[in-house]
Amino acid sequence: MKNNVWLQRFGKRRQSAEQSAHKFAALYKVGTALSSELDEKKLLYLIAETACKLTGAEMAAFTLRPLNEFGQPITPATGNPFYLAAVVGVSPQQEHFFQQMSFKGEGLLAPIFWEGVPVRIADVLAHTHAFGVHHHDMSPERIKAARQAALDYAQGRITKEKLLSVGVPENHPVVRSFLGVPLLDRSSVVRGGLLLGRSVPDHFTEEDEALLLGLGTQAAIALDNARLYHSAYIHALETDAIFEHIADGVMLMDVNGCILRENQAARHIRELLQDEQNHRQEITALLAGPIQSATTERRDLNFTVTAVVNTSSNEVREYMVNVSPLHLPKASIVPMHPRNRTTMEEQSLMASGAVVVWHDVTETRRLMAYAEAEQLKDEFITIAAHELRTPLAVLKGFAQTLLVQTARGKGAELAEWQVEALQNIDQATSRMVDLASDLLDVARLQAGSLLLHFEPVDLIALLKRVVTRLQVTTECHTLTLHIFTDHFVVDIDQQRIEQVLTNIIGNAIKYSPLGGVIQIDVDAQQQNTVLVSVKDTGIGIPEQQQGQIFGRFMRADNALNEGIAGTGLGLYLCRELVERHGGHTWFESMEGEGSTFYLSFPVSSSQKAVASAELSLS
């Protein structure tokens, strides 16, 4: 009899020991799997399935807290909702139901999600009935009371029997026995929760709770590892993408001159420099000296060499090569013996390799050469235009003197061809003088040395004077001036604006070879600007060339075809001078129908005062 009792006890102990061994073996196995699995989704289902196997639960739900890109919990104003990350032991319809829920940590879940402590309930249904909750009570008062009870339970002031419930939502699977543990990250912040359930009461034991806590700890570490791996992987991809798409060629080389890594641009440059029979000797010979110096010096050094390569199209590309030392972190230098500690500082100063950057300076060199050529050209134009003015003035003066004296009957009488020749000389020198003046103005504008002398000027009087002077030069054109007032004062450089008006109205006459009406209008714009428009019925400007018409030496094709003389500098100077007055220049044109040019100027303070006084008097 005693032997039978002893055998029964021994059998139960042996069975219990085997079950414990089986559980710990399974826990060890899943721990090994968790440490190597980096797919978060697979991790979650593996954890949930393992929890069911170890505890005999019928269902397991895995909830997680949303994280931002830095791995920090997202905390919205409405609370800290958790989402269903994985669930096992339920039907597809029930899983869909769970996925629609927001786990905010209410009722029996509050200690887990808010305080980070496990909860084990023998009979959820009896617990719910004890508090008179027969449905999912999510009233603010009930939620507040449930959270306060969770805090009291976590601090040991009440037992779990006094935890408040908010009931079970409709369509929720039947759960009697409940076991839930928190997942805490390395900072002891609740990362999620592992929730187990069974349809019979009083199923989970204290041993199951301890087992699940251990599994939850391993799961939290595994999830962190998976997240860190994913973050590192994404960061590595981003770094590789940036490294590969750097416009300059970048090489990482060791102390022996071997290439450890290079980006796409560097590979392309190396291929250009490589000899077909000897792949890397040219680069090695080119960089051997700088790399040796950079890796042995005790301070950062930069070396520059210039390499000229011929591309497949025989284009010469010039590169500036910068070589600087590459240092490993000091933590990577580990002393092997105490006697070596004296040399550690020296070793830390020595580089483990070199960073080589190939910068294409071909375009920079070209731009510098172009800028230098532009400067020399401007200087030449300035000198040439300045030196031409004196002989041109002399030539024009003598030609006009001969014409005037002959007309007065003084001196020998000139033949008709001689008079015509003198007139041609006079006209040609006038055009040369105008060209020299325009070239000098362009040179001053480019050099920034053009000075403007602002003063109050009556724009209406200035326009009348220009119109009267230019009307004398043509018989087939009629210049009409429409003004809104007899006087209008603006702060301008009178000489320069007269030059602009003469050029714009003169162009209207010149580019209307058949004659016609040239209409000049002056109008005030909202008491802030005054607008001058010049409209002709001439040849107009081709649409495809209108965008470049204000450029230097730019002339429309139809003007060239008509044989109309010009330098292509007038409109460029007009725009620059008007803009330096704070105004704007634009036009409307249609080829064959004519053009309208607009000039706007800011109204002077004195004119604003006059306008205000007139308005108050009226």
Side-chain angles (χ1 to χ4, degrees):
M1 186 68 179
K2 291 182 178 180
N3 290 337
N4 291 336
V5 173
W6 182 84
L7 287 174
Q8 289 177 358
R9 291 178 179 176
F10 177 77
K12 290 182 180 180
R13 291 177 181 176
R14 181 177 179 180
Q15 184 180 5
S16 177
E18 288 177 352
Q19 290 176 352
S20 297
H22 174 72
K23 288 183 178 180
F24 283 109
L27 191 60
Y28 173 78
K29 184 177 180 180
V30 75
T32 304
L34 292 179
S35 64
S36 59
E37 181 59 65
L38 296 174
D39 187 321
E40 184 174 293
K41 188 174 182 180
K42 291 181 179 179
L43 269 175
L44 298 177
Y45 279 98
L46 177 61
I47 294 167
E49 290 173 353
T50 303
C52 286
K53 290 179 181 179
L54 291 176
T55 63
E58 294 174 346
M59 63 164 290
F62 208 124
T63 62
L64 288 179
R65 191 176 184 182
L67 302 178
N68 60 20
E69 58 182 333
F70 304 105
Q72 300 169 339
I74 299 175
T75 307
T78 55
N80 302 322
F82 291 71
Y83 65 94
L84 181 69
V87 62
V88 296
V90 298
S91 66
Q93 294 79 6
Q94 290 172 332
E95 182 175 357
H96 178 73
F97 166 74
F98 279 126
Q99 289 174 347
Q100 306 305 313
M101 292 179 59
S102 177
F103 299 84
K104 295 186 177 181
E106 313 300 351
L108 301 180
L109 301 180
I112 302 171
F113 292 163
W114 284 81
E115 306 301 331
V117 297
V119 173
R120 177 165 51 94
I121 302 297
D123 191 348
V124 174
L125 189 58
H127 185 89
T128 303
H129 288 165
F131 290 98
V133 180
H134 301 284
H135 55 86
H136 201 39
D137 185 1
M138 296 295 291
S139 62
E141 296 77 9
R142 191 71 182 176
I143 293 173
K144 183 177 180 181
R147 290 182 178 176
Q148 182 60 46
L151 176 62
D152 294 337
Y153 172 72
Q155 296 178 355
R157 292 196 291 264
I158 63 173
T159 63
K160 61 185 177 184
E161 286 74 20
K162 293 185 178 181
L163 286 173
L164 293 183
S165 173
V166 293
V168 179
E170 297 180 3
N171 301 321
H172 192 286
V174 176
V175 173
R176 300 290 295 275
S177 297
F178 171 78
L179 175 59
V181 297
L183 271 68
L184 304 178
D185 62 15
R186 290 178 172 85
S187 302
S188 296
V189 176
V190 178
R191 173 73 171 87
L194 181 54
L195 313 175
L196 305 183
R198 192 173 173 88
S199 58
V200 297
D202 202 19
H203 172 75
F204 299 113
T205 64
E206 187 176 348
E207 182 182 357
D208 291 333
E209 182 178 332
L211 199 62
L212 201 62
L213 279 171
L215 182 61
T217 301
Q218 287 185 316
I221 295 173
L223 286 172
D224 274 351
N225 290 340
R227 181 184 58 80
L228 291 172
Y229 171 80
H230 179 72
S231 177
Y233 178 71
I234 297 298
H235 180 70
L237 290 179
E238 292 173 348
T239 303
D240 287 343
I242 294 172
F243 181 77
E244 281 296 323
H245 289 86
I246 294 176
D248 291 339
V250 182
M251 292 178 175
L252 305 182
M253 308 184 75
D254 63 13
V255 292
N256 298 318
C258 296
I259 299 175
L260 303 175
R261 188 176 180 184
E262 61 184 355
N263 65 357
Q264 183 178 354
R267 283 191 294 273
H268 177 67
I269 296 170
R270 176 168 56 80
E271 290 170 358
L272 293 175
L273 290 174
Q274 285 174 353
D275 183 77
E276 293 182 358
Q277 298 177 351
N278 191 350
H279 291 291
R280 293 190 177 180
Q281 285 187 0
E282 188 168 353
I283 284 185
T284 303
L286 182 67
L287 301 176
I291 289 176
Q292 183 179 7
S293 299
T295 54
T296 56
E297 291 287 342
R298 295 191 175 188
R299 57 186 177 88
D300 288 351
L301 297 173
N302 291 321
F303 298 86
T304 57
V305 294
T306 302
V308 181
V309 299
N310 293 316
T311 64
S312 57
S313 58
N314 293 324
E315 180 185 8
V316 177
R317 309 296 298 182
E318 190 173 1
Y319 294 89
M320 187 68 66
V321 184
N322 298 309
V323 183
S324 57
L326 173 65
H327 291 279
L328 288 176
K330 292 183 180 181
S332 63
I333 304 173
V334 180
M336 301 298 294
H337 193 273
R339 65 184 178 185
N340 291 336
R341 293 177 181 171
T342 56
T343 63
M344 290 310 300
E345 293 183 2
E346 297 179 1
Q347 292 180 15
S348 65
L349 293 173
M350 295 179 62
S352 58
V355 180
V356 181
V357 179
W358 301 75
H359 181 61
D360 191 341
V361 295
T362 307
E363 297 303 324
T364 302
R365 298 278 193 248
R366 289 176 182 173
L367 290 175
M368 292 175 62
Y370 175 77
E372 184 178 358
E374 283 288 304
Q375 183 179 358
L376 291 174
K377 182 192 71 175
D378 291 340
E379 291 177 358
F380 170 76
I381 290 175
T382 302
I383 295 172
H386 187 272
E387 293 299 324
L388 279 173
R389 296 181 73 176
T390 300
L392 285 174
V394 173
L395 184 60
K396 183 177 180 61
F398 278 117
Q400 289 181 339
T401 299
L402 286 173
L403 288 171
V404 171
Q405 294 298 333
T406 300
R408 292 177 178 176
K410 296 182 180 180
E413 184 177 355
L414 298 178
E416 184 177 349
W417 67 269
Q418 291 174 320
V419 174
E420 184 178 354
L422 285 173
Q423 290 174 342
N424 289 336
I425 291 173
D426 182 56
Q427 292 175 1
T429 52
S430 295
R431 288 196 295 271
M432 288 293 291
V433 169
D434 292 340
L435 174 61
S437 298
D438 288 346
L439 288 173
L440 281 174
D441 287 340
V442 169
R444 293 189 186 103
L445 285 170
Q446 294 296 312
S449 59
L450 183 69
L451 300 178
L452 298 177
H453 303 282
F454 289 90
E455 59 181 343
V457 176
D458 186 348
L459 182 63
I460 305 300
L462 177 61
L463 267 169
K464 288 179 178 180
R465 186 165 63 250
V466 172
V467 168
T468 301
R469 174 163 48 83
L470 291 178
Q471 183 64 80
V472 177
T473 64
T474 178
E475 296 180 354
C476 60
H477 297 85
T478 302
L479 276 62
T480 62
L481 179 61
H482 301 275
I483 56 178
F484 70 99
T485 182
D486 292 335
H487 302 282
F488 198 87
V489 178
V490 290
D491 289 330
I492 57 175
D493 184 317
Q494 179 171 328
Q495 180 183 352
R496 291 301 181 182
I497 295 304
E498 184 173 355
Q499 177 184 348
V500 169
L501 295 173
T502 300
N503 193 292
I504 295 296
I505 299 174
N507 279 351
I509 296 172
K510 182 166 61 173
Y511 292 106
S512 302
L514 299 180
V517 176
I518 308 296
Q519 181 176 325
I520 302 102
D521 291 325
V522 185
D523 189 20
Q525 300 289 310
Q526 299 177 354
Q527 300 298 322
N528 292 321
T529 60
V530 60
L531 182 67
V532 178
S533 63
V534 179
K535 181 179 181 180
D536 64 62
T537 57
I539 62 175
I541 304 170
E543 183 178 357
Q544 66 272 17
Q545 293 180 309
Q546 291 182 7
Q548 298 85 32
I549 203 66
F550 284 110
R552 286 188 296 172
F553 304 104
M554 177 61 194
R555 302 202 64 217
D557 291 340
N558 58 349
L560 297 174
N561 295 335
E562 292 282 342
I564 301 175
T567 63
L569 292 175
L571 287 179
Y572 168 77
L573 287 171
C574 288
R575 184 188 63 179
E576 292 293 326
L577 290 172
V578 170
E579 289 185 353
R580 278 167 168 74
H581 279 77
H584 299 285
T585 307
W586 69 97
F587 68 92
E588 297 173 354
S589 181
M590 184 170 293
E591 188 175 8
E593 296 185 10
S595 305
T596 303
F597 279 81
Y598 299 92
L599 310 173
S600 69
F601 301 97
V603 175
S604 66
S605 56
S606 56
Q607 180 60 45
K608 289 181 181 179
V610 171
S612 299
E614 292 176 351
L615 182 62
S616 61
L617 290 174
S618 61

